Amino acid sequence: MSAQVAPTRMALTLYKGKLVGAKKGYELLKKKSDALKARFRVIAKQIYELKKQMREDAATSFFSMTQAQYAAGEFKSKVLDTPHPAAIRVKTRTDNVAGVKLPIFASYNTGVEIKDNIGLSGGGQKVVSCRNKYHQWVENLVKLASLQTSFVTMDEALKVTNRRVNALENVTIPRIEGIIKYINRELDELEREDFTRLKKVVEKKRENAAKEDKRLAEVKQKMQNLRVEGDLLDDYDLEKKGDVYF
């Protein structure tokens, strides 16, 4: 990946921005994962306690059914053959936990009064007690269904979030950091090459300047020598000494 990235200042700025975004996303996903884990543990604890309670309630309800049948006789077929409106219904809503939507089921009483002739000849109290215990057991069953549905949904969301957190922590962020190190290394190498090139240029200019200074000094020395010779000729008297031959 780093071999396909041009080592430029613009690319370095771009990947630094990506690194900041990746770290910010990692922090947010980590907080989301922690929140989901906390809620996940709470739901698991509630399921455990509710199942333990329902185990006892189921035993009590079935035992109450046996008592009612013993006192009022076999009434199962009569209940199944007689149409009754639903006394308990279920409504749904959605709970949002760290962006994860959890379906919540809640039971409510429709207010329908069940009027039948079961238990008139005997065992009416046992029948009512059996109905109430099963009513409570059904409400707990709805709660358990809600908790288990939320548990499964939370488990899937937690797996996805953890995969994203691990991908950012172990793949994305190290790869971006590696690219940034590669770009910095290449830019440092280019700077060293530029410094060496500039140093050579400066040395060459100094050599040229030194040569030019030397040439100018030689020219100046020649000019001074010519001026001295000119002064000697100025002092020579042509009328007295005649011409000068070189």
Side-chain angles (χ1 to χ4, degrees), residues 204-216:
K204 189 67 175 178
K205 286 184 177 180
R206 287 178 179 175
E207 291 177 358
N208 294 334
K211 291 179 180 179
E212 185 67 19
D213 293 340
K214 185 178 180 181
R215 187 183 67 81
L216 292 175

Side-chain angles (χ1 to χ4, degrees), residues 81-100:
D81 293 339
T82 305
H84 294 290
I88 299 177
R89 292 185 181 274
V90 177
K91 59 182 179 180
T92 61
R93 62 182 179 86
T94 303
D95 190 12
N96 194 331
V97 179
V100 179

Side-chain angles (χ1 to χ4, degrees), residues 6-123:
T8 60
R9 297 288 180 185
M10 184 178 296
L12 180 62
T13 303
L14 176 64
Y15 278 94
K16 282 184 177 180
K18 288 184 177 182
L19 181 62
V20 172
K23 288 184 176 180
K24 188 65 176 179
Y26 170 76
E27 292 175 359
L28 293 176
L29 287 175
K30 189 66 176 176
K31 291 179 180 179
K32 178 180 179 179
S33 177
D34 294 339
L36 292 178
K37 286 179 181 178
R39 185 62 180 271
F40 187 79
R41 287 191 293 267
V42 170
I43 292 176
K45 184 178 180 181
Q46 290 177 349
I47 290 175
Y48 172 75
E49 294 177 351
L50 187 58
K51 282 187 174 182
K52 184 169 64 174
Q53 179 184 351
M54 286 189 65
R55 189 183 301 113
E56 299 175 355
D57 292 343
T60 304
S61 299
F62 283 110
F63 183 70
S64 178
M65 171 70 77
T66 303
Q67 289 179 331
Q69 288 179 347
Y70 179 78
E74 180 62 36
F75 55 84
K76 181 178 180 180
S77 58
K78 185 177 181 180
V79 171
L80 293 176
D81 293 339
T82 305
H84 294 290
I88 299 177
R89 292 185 181 274
V90 177
K91 59 182 179 180
T92 61
R93 62 182 179 86
T94 303
D95 190 12
N96 194 331
V97 179
V100 179
K101 295 182 179 180
L102 302 178
I104 305 298
F105 306 142
S107 61
Y108 66 95
N109 197 337
T110 59
V112 176
E113 295 183 1
I114 300 176
K115 297 180 180 180
D116 49 25
N117 298 325
I118 299 175
L120 291 179
S121 59

Side-chain angles (χ1 to χ4, degrees), residues 168-231:
L168 284 173
E169 182 180 8
N170 300 318
V171 178
T172 305
I173 293 178
R175 183 175 60 186
I176 296 176
E177 290 178 345
I179 292 175
I180 292 175
K181 289 180 180 178
Y182 163 74
I183 295 175
N184 285 327
R185 187 169 60 251
E186 292 296 323
L187 290 177
D188 291 341
E189 184 67 24
L190 291 175
E191 288 180 358
R192 284 192 293 270
E193 291 178 359
D194 292 339
F195 177 76
T196 303
R197 189 181 302 110
L198 290 174
K199 187 176 179 181
K200 290 183 178 179
V201 170
V202 171
E203 290 177 354
K204 189 67 175 178
K205 286 184 177 180
R206 287 178 179 175
E207 291 177 358
N208 294 334
K211 291 179 180 179
E212 185 67 19
D213 293 340
K214 185 178 180 181
R215 187 183 67 81
L216 292 175
E218 292 176 353
V219 171
K220 185 177 180 180
Q221 185 65 34
K222 290 180 179 180
M223 293 296 293
Q224 289 178 354
N225 294 335
L226 290 176
R227 189 178 298 111
V228 170
E229 293 177 358
D231 293 340

